[in-house]
Amino acid sequence: MRLDRPWVVVVCAASLDGRIASRTGWSRISCPRDLERLHALRAMCDAVMIGANTAIIDDPMLTVRYVPAIRQPARVVVDGRLRVPTSLRLFKTAREIPTIVLTSRKASPEKISALQNMGVHVEVVGEDHVDLPEALRLLYRKYNVRILLVEGGGNLIWNLLRHDLVDEMYVTYSGFALGNGVSIAQGEGYSTGDESPKFRIASAHICECGREVVVHYIRER
């Protein structure tokens, strides 16, 4: 099947009850071996995408560090209201590694200019929120992103799922429960499973740590 958007791969670590973060925002759920698996996936993709909450709470670099890499993937932040601070670590290296912010017309023009002056590519895609289908088409056509890795958070994953924009998912289930917190897909949800995109299991294996199961899902088309 030919797409006019990137192939979208979601990766996350979750508790047994499907939480990717606790009620306080704590998200160091999986073991160091899982971090190596994450970086291996980063090395295989053209860009890595996160949402505004993940950017603000975790302040990640989104670079490949734990496995060999031919190049660093581009970094993409989805932030409809442009809430992220300009002090984020990934913005400080925007002139060395392509860094893209997808926002809407609700964003402050002054903040857009400040980010552009740091070397960040700012794209306005939508009126009051980011139009994700159009944003992915833009990444495909303008930035040559063919494989896009999405690392969260829950709101972004939900919005990609509800637009049927997810092709694969890697979920590492870790052996504890968090109760209240952020779900893998944090949104209004479907009424029944019939409305949801359907995924089949491509593979599953137990991590060397003995406390985690890594499940690879592929969207059924």
Side-chain angles (χ1 to χ4, degrees), residues 5 7 43 52 77 102 105 110 118 123 142 155 157 161 163-166 169 183 185 189 196 202 211:
R5 60 163 177 84
W7 184 264
V77 178
L102 302 171
R105 296 193 185 278
E110 292 77 17
M118 298 175 72
E123 300 287 353
K142 183 173 180 178
N155 289 325
I157 293 172
L161 285 168
H163 287 293
D164 198 10
L165 296 172
V166 178
M169 293 186 70
S183 299
S196 167
R211 294 180 56 251

Side-chain angles (χ1 to χ4, degrees), residues 50-104:
I50 58 172
N53 288 338
T54 300
I56 293 168
I57 294 169
D58 295 345
D59 192 13
M61 286 291 291
L62 301 180
T63 54
V64 182
R65 301 184 300 279
Y66 298 110
V67 300
I70 297 174
R71 56 170 172 75
Q72 293 292 342
R75 289 90 56 92
V76 183
V77 178
V78 179
D79 186 356
R81 296 183 181 271
L82 206 51
R83 297 181 292 115
V84 292
T86 57
S87 59
L88 288 182
R89 293 191 298 163
L90 57 84
F91 294 153
K92 294 176 182 178
T93 54
R95 296 193 188 280
E96 292 114 50
I97 303 171
T99 304
I100 305 158
V101 171
L102 302 171
T103 191
S104 75

Side-chain angles (χ1 to χ4, degrees), residues 14-189:
S15 61
L16 293 176
D17 50 349
R19 303 297 186 183
I20 60 174
S22 72
R23 58 183 176 81
T24 62
W26 177 84
S27 60
R28 297 182 181 277
I29 291 171
S30 57
C31 72
R33 182 68 185 90
D34 195 55
L35 191 59
E36 293 177 10
R37 288 191 290 266
L38 170 62
H39 281 240
L41 285 172
R42 285 182 185 174
M44 294 170 58
C45 70
D46 300 304
V48 180
M49 175 184 280
I50 58 172
N53 288 338
T54 300
I56 293 168
I57 294 169
D58 295 345
D59 192 13
M61 286 291 291
L62 301 180
T63 54
V64 182
R65 301 184 300 279
Y66 298 110
V67 300
I70 297 174
R71 56 170 172 75
Q72 293 292 342
R75 289 90 56 92
V76 183
V77 178
V78 179
D79 186 356
R81 296 183 181 271
L82 206 51
R83 297 181 292 115
V84 292
T86 57
S87 59
L88 288 182
R89 293 191 298 163
L90 57 84
F91 294 153
K92 294 176 182 178
T93 54
R95 296 193 188 280
E96 292 114 50
I97 303 171
T99 304
I100 305 158
V101 171
L102 302 171
T103 191
S104 75
R105 296 193 185 278
K106 293 288 187 180
S108 159
E110 292 77 17
K111 199 163 187 180
I112 289 176
S113 295
L115 288 171
Q116 289 173 330
N117 289 336
M118 298 175 72
V120 178
H121 302 276
V122 182
E123 300 287 353
V124 176
V125 194
E127 293 298 321
D128 58 358
H129 64 276
V130 175
D131 182 332
L132 282 173
E134 182 57 33
L136 293 195
R137 286 191 286 269
L138 182 145
L139 291 176
Y140 184 91
R141 295 168 182 167
K142 183 173 180 178
Y143 295 97
N144 201 34
V145 177
R146 296 297 182 262
I147 302 176
L148 176 66
L149 186 68
V150 178
E151 297 188 18
N155 289 325
L156 176 57
I157 293 172
W158 161 251
N159 281 297
L160 288 166
L161 285 168
R162 75 183 182 91
H163 287 293
D164 198 10
L165 296 172
V166 178
D167 301 293
E168 295 182 66
M169 293 186 70
Y170 287 86
V171 184
T172 298
Y173 293 99
S174 193
F176 55 87
L178 289 176
N180 191 23
V182 180
S183 299
I184 294 173
Q186 186 84 5
E188 60 268 34

